Amino acid sequence: MKEIKITTSFQAFDSTDELPSDVSELMATAVEARKNAYAPYSHFRVGVAIALDNGKIVIGSNQENAAYPSGLCAERVAVFHAGATYPDAKILKMAISAASDTNPTTAPIPPCGACRQSIAEYEIRQDSPIEIYFMGETGGVFKSDSLKNLLPFTFDKNFL
């Protein structure tokens, strides 16, 4: 037996004030998108803004359903919308903001596992990394240079 160590690195910003101006604007768009979340069950609202290489910005917010598996996370709403509307565009950057109606969210909130897998599909498909910035309602922001930092053992089409 041998041990395998995997290390990743992220950039940590103390607040959105430290972000580059284009990313700060993208995060502000994600915060606005969060207001459109339909979250009557979890009371946890997520907004996403995606910058595409064609200059377009695509947004998403989580959309819940009484039959929980039928709902969709904000990240997948935005990624699937981008793929359906702009199939030839590459995703350059993604900004994610999450807030709870019942608890303060001051720590950066990363995408869930299902969203990581969906983002991975697009990163592999476009053969270029996607910068992912994520935060809670307030506080710091983490930046990942690629989805591979968040999901180092990616399941992709090469396994099929």
Side-chain angles (χ1 to χ4, degrees):
M1 179 187 88
K2 62 181 176 179
E3 183 176 328
I4 299 172
K5 290 188 180 193
I6 298 173
T7 59
T8 61
S9 65
F10 297 85
Q11 290 179 319
F13 301 88
D14 289 331
S15 72
T16 55
D17 295 337
E18 292 184 354
L19 295 171
S21 61
D22 65 321
V23 177
S24 181
E25 291 174 20
L26 195 65
M27 188 61 78
T29 302
V31 169
E32 283 300 309
R34 192 179 73 211
K35 295 175 184 176
N36 296 330
Y38 178 67
Y41 307 106
S42 71
H43 305 287
F44 192 77
R45 301 172 189 285
V46 181
V48 173
I50 293 175
L52 302 176
D53 68 348
N54 63 5
K56 301 290 184 183
I57 303 295
V58 175
I59 63 168
S61 60
N62 55 315
Q63 302 296 311
E64 295 180 352
N65 191 290
Y68 265 21
S70 298
L72 203 57
C73 298
E75 296 89 337
R76 286 181 283 156
V77 167
V79 167
F80 295 160
H81 177 69
T85 308
Y86 307 104
D88 297 323
K90 289 185 177 184
I91 298 172
L92 301 176
K93 298 174 185 173
M94 174 181 289
I96 305 165
S97 175
S100 170
D101 293 344
T102 58
N103 300 306
T105 53
T106 58
I109 310 288
C112 75
C115 288
R116 291 177 195 203
Q117 183 63 42
S118 294
I119 297 165
E121 186 72 22
Y122 281 80
E123 190 170 274
I124 291 163
R125 180 174 128 188
Q126 68 185 31
D127 194 29
S128 62
I130 298 170
E131 291 180 12
I132 303 170
Y133 296 82
F134 51 97
M135 66 178 289
E137 184 174 9
T138 61
V141 180
F142 284 178
K143 175 196 176 196
S144 174
D145 289 328
S146 169
L147 188 276
K148 292 177 183 175
N149 287 334
L150 294 167
L151 189 63
F153 287 109
T154 305
F155 178 82
D156 64 41
K157 63 185 178 184
N158 297 314
F159 292 111
L160 302 177

